[in-house]
Amino acid sequence: MRTVICDLTRAQLAAAGVRCDAALCREDLASAHDCTGCFGCWVRTPGVCVMHDSLGDLGVLLARTDELTVVSRMTFGWLSPLAKRALDRSIGYLHPSFRIADGEMHHRLRYAGHELTLSFRLYGPSTEAERACARTIAAANALNLGARLADVRFPASEKSAGAEKDAPVVAAAEPPVPARGLPRRVALVNASPRGDRSATAHLLGDLAEALPVYARMAGVDAPELVCATARDAGLPAGCDAVVLGYPLYVDALPSGLVDLLVRARGELVPGTRVYALANMGFYEAKQLAPSFSVIESFCAAAGLCWSGGVAVGAGGMVLPVARTPRMGMMRRGVSEAVDQLVTALLAGADAGAIEARPPVPRFAYKLAAEAQW
């Protein structure tokens, strides 16, 4: 069975000549909801989303699919908000328990023995950096889904989405010049679908508490902090720096954050520094690196300055140990990484890619994480 997930209308899909037996098109994706991170498809109605909309049975549909093709506008090196919404809602296809694949932690396959072939068609202008990012995330998707990656194509437009030939690479924009001086107003964006109940909220709160302490130690004025969410109309105006807090969803930014970045493009002053504070349920923080590349591509397109961030693996431990001492054994690795980000933020400098050190070995984390299911 051939299934297509696309951000094209049904008429556009037919005109593009993409063949399929089942299709979820723009009309279906636009009427559906973003994943809320409730994990109901794992614990309440296994394999099926608790939200009864056009994407509610996506996990079951994938279990019947032999060839899955995702057609999307190239958006900062990966999928558009609507196409990413569909992938975020596909996690019911997987089992909450873990397996180790290629030396990394991934979810166990709910439908063991099912063979799924993946293809991606990312249409529209794209730079070589965006295409490299897309290939990396596509490969991560295939590994996580236990699928075979057939190909990743870059058609020139939605009309040529069925074409086999890639469009020419477009030239990358000149690197933006970072804004000078220390930040006076910093936006802290919580892009977790779980909102204030999330590990993202705790990590941003920890940064907000540490920042004035480090400012006082450095003898500088602490910047004003402005809180925002992915549901807001855009990024707060008048900010010298932005910290994007988010969990990894299906190997990339959650769809709500992608939508915010699309809407926010052009709103910030060129050269504004953008940082990330990201976490994930898998153990290896390095799996967050491709999501940093998406933000870097956004910054290049919007004339902003990507300034690095913190990658927190073993994110399932963030909330359970939140009440332990900040520099105690269970929190020290994450706290030190956050402090490095705070230092860079206050100095108006690059933070680089900082990987937080997990407090326990992988086998212990795996056992503890699976016990909750």
Side-chain angles (χ1 to χ4, degrees):
M1 178 177 175
R2 297 176 180 174
T3 299
V4 170
I5 294 174
C6 67
D7 59 6
L8 306 179
T9 64
R10 295 190 182 279
Q12 289 174 321
L13 181 64
V18 180
R19 299 174 57 192
C20 62
D21 301 305
L24 291 170
C25 299
R26 173 174 288 272
E27 297 90 338
D28 306 301
L29 307 188
S31 65
H33 298 86
D34 285 340
C35 179
T36 62
C38 71
F39 303 128
C41 60
W42 284 344
V43 297
R44 291 168 57 190
T45 55
V48 179
C49 184
V50 298
M51 291 187 286
H52 301 293
D53 56 23
S54 57
L55 296 177
D57 293 324
L58 181 55
V60 177
L61 176 61
L62 293 184
R64 303 200 316 263
T65 297
D66 303 304
E67 300 177 18
L68 173 64
T69 300
V70 180
V71 181
S72 169
R73 178 174 294 280
M74 171 68 84
T75 308
F76 313 132
W78 194 224
L79 305 181
S80 67
L82 285 181
K84 188 57 171 57
R85 170 182 290 174
L87 284 199
D88 288 354
R89 293 283 300 278
S90 73
I91 63 171
Y93 177 73
L94 299 170
H95 192 278
S97 297
F98 298 118
R99 62 189 170 99
I100 304 301
D102 287 1
E104 297 176 348
M105 181 179 285
H106 293 279
H107 286 296
R108 188 157 59 83
L109 304 179
R110 183 181 298 279
Y111 304 96
H114 178 243
E115 296 184 1
L116 180 66
T117 298
L118 272 177
S119 297
F120 291 90
R121 302 287 185 271
L122 304 178
Y123 63 86
S126 57
T127 65
E128 186 52 53
E130 289 176 323
R131 294 185 180 190
C133 177
R135 293 187 184 100
T136 299
I137 300 179
N141 277 190
L143 180 60
N144 210 14
L145 293 172
R148 182 182 72 87
L149 180 61
D151 59 8
V152 183
R153 296 287 184 182
F154 306 99
S157 69
E158 64 272 17
K159 295 180 180 179
S160 57
E164 293 300 315
K165 185 178 180 180
D166 292 349
V169 176
V170 301
E174 289 293 324
V177 178
R180 293 178 178 272
L182 303 182
R184 293 170 297 175
R185 196 165 192 256
V186 178
L188 302 182
V189 181
N190 181 353
S192 171
R194 296 177 66 86
D196 293 339
R197 301 176 293 114
S198 64
T200 298
H202 171 78
L203 292 170
L204 288 172
D206 188 48
L207 182 148
E209 290 181 5
L211 193 144
V213 175
Y214 273 86
R216 187 165 57 250
M217 292 170 59
V220 299
D221 293 331
E224 175 191 2
L225 299 180
V226 184
C227 295
T229 72
R231 299 185 184 91
D232 294 339
L235 293 172
C239 291
D240 308 294
V242 176
V243 180
L244 299 175
Y246 62 92
L248 196 73
Y249 266 49
V250 192
D251 306 297
L253 308 182
S255 58
L257 179 52
V258 181
D259 186 47
L260 175 66
L261 297 184
V262 170
R263 288 183 279 114
R265 181 175 175 177
E267 290 185 353
L268 295 174
V269 175
T272 298
R273 288 190 178 275
V274 178
Y275 300 87
L277 180 50
N279 70 93
M280 63 181 304
F282 297 150
Y283 187 83
E284 302 84 11
K286 66 181 181 180
Q287 293 193 52
L288 283 155
S291 71
F292 284 5
S293 296
V294 173
I295 300 175
E296 184 174 9
S297 292
F298 158 71
C299 290
L304 309 177
C305 182
W306 165 241
S307 300
V310 171
V312 178
M317 295 193 67
V318 170
L319 292 181
V321 304
R323 295 185 180 275
T324 63
R326 188 174 188 272
M327 285 298 172
M329 181 184 73
M330 302 305 288
R331 289 182 60 188
R332 188 180 186 91
V334 173
S335 298
E336 289 177 341
V338 170
D339 289 350
Q340 289 182 61
L341 179 59
V342 167
T343 302
L345 182 61
L346 283 174
D350 288 347
I354 306 166
E355 292 187 5
R357 174 174 49 83
V360 298
R362 185 170 68 182
F363 80 89
Y365 175 72
K366 182 175 181 291
L367 289 174
E370 289 181 337
Q372 69 175 313
W373 302 116

